[in-house]
């Protein structure tokens, strides 16, 4: 990378590092960082919602980026994200269900390593690698409930956190080095209480 692209990358990185330095530490962040907002009382497979991040106080939508996956924050984002539960096309989504996450104009979110930004790419077909946690396994997820999103490939939760380039999303274990072991143990205990011991064991490895 040379010339103007390199200068742009350096400028973006420097600005992001300045912002990160003034931000509060992410060490005490919760994995429960998301709400799916929309109509009805129960979260439904195949229904479109607003994917809202409680830390960023912003919603996600498709948007062009020079670096990382084409996702941006938008306070005025419409209901543009659809959850599709594995083996359940239209019914209620329950805690512990594996889901595919579809973003309008982008596609389904899929784990894949990349040079910049969080390791997520687009898939044209459903990829059931996210699990909704934050409540007792097998109970229906209410619309607007604050939940966590666990990725079975990365074996970690996706949350809002600063990064030099790309949208401000990170895997939970990468958010901050301070107090990491205690935070992981605490989260694992919560998963066990929710009836997700296998997932807790996987996350703790």
């Amino acid at each position: 990378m040379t010339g103007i692209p390199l200068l742009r990358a350096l400028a973006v990185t420097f600005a992001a590092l300045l912002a990160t330095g003034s931000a509060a530490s992410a060490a005490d962040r919760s994995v429960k960082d998301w709400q799916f907002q929309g109509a009805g009382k129960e979260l439904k497979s195949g229904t479109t919602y607003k994917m809202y991040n409680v830390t960023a106080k912003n919603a996600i939508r498709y948007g062009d980026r020079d670096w990382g996956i084409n996702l941006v924050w938008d306070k005025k984002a419409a209901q543009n994200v659809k959850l599709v539960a594995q083996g359940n096309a239209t019914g209620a989504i329950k805690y512990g269900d594996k889901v595919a996450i579809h973003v309008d104009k982008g596609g389904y979110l899929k784990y894949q390593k990349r040079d910049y930004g969080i390791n997520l790419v687009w898939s044209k077909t459903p990829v059931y690698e996210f699990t909704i946690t934050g409540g007792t396994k097998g109970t229906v997820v209410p619309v607007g409930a604050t939940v966590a999103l666990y990725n079975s490939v990365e074996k970690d939760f996706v949350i809002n956190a600063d990064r030099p380039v790309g949208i401000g999303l990170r895997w939970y274990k990468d958010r901050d080095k301070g107090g990491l072991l205690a935070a992981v143990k605490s989260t694992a205990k919560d998963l066990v209480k929710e009836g997700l011991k296998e997932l807790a064991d996987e996350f703790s490895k």
Side-chain angles (χ1 to χ4, degrees):
M1 184 184 296
T2 59
I4 293 176
L6 176 58
L7 291 175
R8 288 180 63 193
L10 291 173
V12 170
T13 301
F14 180 68
L17 289 173
L18 286 177
T20 303
S22 62
S25 170
D28 57 351
R29 294 274 177 85
S30 170
V31 295
K32 294 171 65 176
D33 207 23
W34 300 97
Q35 293 176 353
F36 291 94
Q37 302 175 348
K41 294 182 179 180
E42 299 179 343
L43 208 61
K44 293 288 185 71
S45 180
T47 299
T48 305
Y49 298 96
K50 177 187 290 189
M51 186 172 171
Y52 180 82
N53 184 275
V54 298
T55 302
K57 296 180 173 56
N58 241 322
I60 275 181
R61 69 167 173 83
Y62 177 90
D64 290 334
R65 278 189 174 275
D66 291 331
W67 314 98
I69 190 169
N70 285 333
L71 285 173
V72 297
W73 300 113
D74 189 344
K75 291 184 182 296
K76 299 180 180 179
Q79 294 177 15
N80 61 349
V81 174
K82 178 174 62 177
L83 298 177
V84 180
Q86 191 169 24
N88 174 11
T90 58
I93 294 176
K94 300 176 181 178
Y95 288 109
D97 282 355
K98 281 193 171 183
V99 299
I101 302 175
H102 184 273
V103 181
D104 285 355
K105 300 181 180 179
Y108 291 93
L109 294 176
K110 175 186 176 182
Y111 179 89
Q112 182 175 303
K113 289 186 177 180
R114 58 189 310 153
D115 293 334
Y116 300 101
I118 190 169
N119 289 333
L120 290 173
V121 298
W122 300 117
S123 170
K124 292 182 180 180
T125 56
V127 183
Y128 302 101
E129 61 184 36
F130 288 92
T131 301
I132 297 183
T133 75
T136 303
K137 181 180 179 180
T139 61
V140 174
V141 182
V143 170
T146 302
V147 301
L149 294 174
Y150 180 85
N151 183 279
S152 60
V153 180
E154 175 63 19
K155 296 181 175 56
D156 204 351
F157 296 87
V158 60
I159 64 165
N160 165 252
D162 292 325
R163 62 166 53 254
V165 294
I167 189 169
L169 295 176
R170 282 187 181 272
W171 303 109
Y172 183 72
K173 294 175 186 176
D174 294 336
R175 76 204 183 283
D176 190 275
K177 299 303 181 185
L180 178 59
L181 182 59
V184 170
K185 286 182 177 179
S186 176
T187 299
K189 286 181 181 178
D190 288 340
L191 292 171
V192 172
K193 290 178 182 177
E194 293 165 11
L196 296 165
K197 185 179 184 305
E198 291 182 2
L199 194 151
D201 292 340
E202 184 177 76
F203 173 64
S204 299
K205 289 180 181 178

